[in-house]
Amino acid sequence: MKDVARHAGVSQSAVSFALNGRPGVSDETRDRVRRAAEQLGWRPSAAARQLSGEGAATVGFVLARPADTLGVDSFFLQLVSGIQEVLAERHLGLLFQVVEDVDDECAVYRRWWAEHRVDGVLVVDPRTDDPRPDLLDELGLPAVVIGGAPDERHPGLSTVWADDAGAMASVVDELYALGHRRIVHIAGLPGLAHTERRIRTLRAEAGRRGLAEVESVTTNYSDAESAAVTRRVLGRSAPPTALIYDNDVMAVAGVATAAELGFSVPADVSVLAWEDSALCRMVKPWLSALSRDSVEFGRTAARELTALVDGGPARTVRVPVPRVIVRDSTGVARRG
C-alpha cells in the first residue's frame, strides 16, 4: 500500500478508502489509486482483509448429494458457471464442498462462520423439513436459497426460485393433449422441496382430469436407478404411455432401457426430460425437454448474494418458468 500511495501521490489512508470502496476520497482520487494499483500488480491480501474485519472475499457453496451423481448433472455445471461469472467480476472466490447429508452441511456452515472463511453462502436443494434457514439466521451469515419457494419465516435470507408447479402443469398439458392417460414421473431425491412440488402438482393435475393411472417414483437422480425404475414400470401389464424424468441423464438412461425392452420411442412410449441440455440432442430420438437458462439462474443467485453481502435487503426473485421444447421423443399416445 505504501508503494501504491507513493505511485499515486496520495496518503496510505486514501489508498485504503479507494480500494475498499469507502467514502472519504473523490472519484478522481479513487480512479488514480486503482490505476496505480493495476500498474504495480497489487492485490489486497485476503488474510489482511479478514483481520481488519473487511471480509473473506469468498462465497461458500455446499452440496449434500451423492458424489457419484454430480459429474453428469448438467444443471449444477451450468449453475456454477453462472455463479462463477458474477463472482469473477467482483474478484470473489468460490469455496465449494460436497458432503454426505444436511447435518454435515450445517457443520460446514458453523465451521466457516467460526473461522470467518466466507462472507456468505449459496444454499441449494431446499428440503421440506430444512434445518439450514434457522441455522443461517442464528449465525447471521448472508445466504441465498436457490430453488426454494418464498419463506416469510426467514426474512433475512434471499430466495431465487423457479415455479416447478407451473412447469409440471405445462408438461401434463402437453402430454394430455397428445392423448396420454397413463403417465409415470421418475423423480429425483425424496424430501427435496422441488421434488415434492412436482409430485404434488402432477397428482393435482391428474385429479383435475380424472386420470387414475398417474404416479411419481423417486430416485437418487442416477442413470442406474432411472433404468431400474423404467424397467419396472414398462414391465407392467398396462405400461405407461409417457415417462417424465427429473433430469436429462435419467431420461437418456430411460430411452436406452425402453429400447432394450423392445419399446419404440415415441411410438410405444413418449419421453420428456426436465432439464434440457446438449445431451438431449445427442441421442436418437432427440428428447423433448423443459428448457430454462440455468447459467442465468446462477448469475441471479450470485448477484443477490453479493447484494446481501454489501448490506442490501433480502429479496425474493422468481426466474422464468421453464418451457417445454417439443422434439422427437414425444408423440400421440398409442391405443390400449
Side-chain angles (χ1 to χ4, degrees):
M1 288 184 68
K2 288 181 180 178
D3 292 338
V4 173
R6 187 180 305 111
H7 194 74
V10 298
S11 66
Q12 289 187 51
S13 60
V15 171
S16 177
F17 290 156
L19 295 180
N20 288 296
R22 295 177 177 175
V25 294
S26 67
D27 290 341
E28 180 183 354
T29 298
R30 197 181 306 276
D31 289 341
R32 188 162 73 248
V33 168
R34 287 176 177 169
R35 284 197 302 271
E38 290 173 3
Q39 290 167 5
L40 295 174
W42 183 86
R43 294 292 183 273
S45 162
R49 286 173 60 89
Q50 292 182 50
L51 289 172
S52 64
E54 294 174 11
T58 302
V59 165
F61 184 13
V62 184
L63 193 55
R65 278 200 185 186
D68 58 358
T69 67
L70 300 181
V72 292
D73 195 322
S74 62
F75 170 73
F76 277 109
L77 293 175
Q78 294 178 61
L79 184 77
V80 171
S81 176
I83 290 169
Q84 184 58 42
E85 185 178 318
V86 171
L87 297 184
E89 294 171 357
R90 294 280 301 265
H91 304 293
L92 298 173
L94 180 65
L95 183 56
F96 178 68
Q97 188 164 341
V98 179
V99 296
E100 288 294 321
D101 53 37
V102 170
D103 288 340
D104 289 344
E105 183 176 344
C106 289
V108 170
Y109 292 148
R110 291 189 182 95
R111 184 171 71 252
W112 283 353
W113 173 80
E115 296 173 355
H116 304 286
R117 294 286 299 279
V118 298
D119 297 323
V121 294
L122 295 159
V123 181
V124 294
D125 288 343
R127 267 67 174 177
T128 51
D129 186 15
D130 202 328
R132 295 173 296 175
D134 285 338
L135 173 63
L136 294 167
D137 270 349
E138 174 189 331
L139 298 177
L141 193 59
V144 172
V145 179
I146 300 173
D151 186 354
E152 296 179 356
R153 297 172 302 164
H154 302 93
L157 304 183
S158 285
T159 300
V160 177
W161 71 292
D163 184 4
D164 291 288
M168 178 59 85
S170 69
V171 169
V172 177
D173 284 341
E174 176 68 24
L175 295 176
Y176 186 83
L178 292 171
H180 294 281
R181 302 297 182 263
R182 295 196 301 273
I183 302 170
V184 173
H185 167 216
I186 300 178
L189 290 167
L192 297 186
H194 67 260
T195 300
E196 299 302 324
R197 285 197 299 271
R198 295 172 191 178
I199 291 173
R200 284 196 307 271
T201 303
L202 178 62
R203 189 181 302 126
E205 292 294 318
R208 187 165 67 85
R209 293 174 170 84
L211 304 180
E213 298 179 85
V214 174
E215 66 173 305
S216 296
V217 182
T218 56
T219 70
N220 67 355
Y221 282 112
S222 72
D223 56 337
E225 284 205 8
S226 172
V229 173
T230 302
R231 190 170 290 109
R232 188 166 71 246
V233 299
L234 290 182
R236 296 171 178 171
S237 58
T241 63
L243 298 170
I244 306 165
Y245 292 87
D246 260 5
N247 70 21
D248 51 349
V249 172
M250 291 199 296
V252 170
V255 169
T257 302
E260 290 173 9
L261 297 173
F263 286 78
S264 174
V265 177
D268 297 320
V269 61
S270 287
V271 169
L272 190 143
W274 196 273
E275 296 291 344
D276 192 18
S277 73
L279 191 59
C280 294
R281 302 181 297 279
M282 295 172 66
V283 295
K284 293 294 183 180
W286 282 17
L287 297 181
S288 297
L290 272 170
S291 177
R292 61 178 168 185
D293 191 343
S294 300
V295 175
E296 182 59 27
F297 205 165
R299 292 190 196 105
T300 301
R303 291 188 193 108
E304 291 304 313
L305 183 57
T306 56
L308 273 181
V309 170
D310 289 342
R315 303 196 317 150
T316 295
V317 178
R318 176 175 166 177
V319 299
V321 179
R323 71 186 195 283
V324 176
I325 303 295
V326 177
R327 298 194 181 103
D328 301 332
S329 67
T330 48
V332 176
R334 70 177 187 274
R335 294 183 179 182

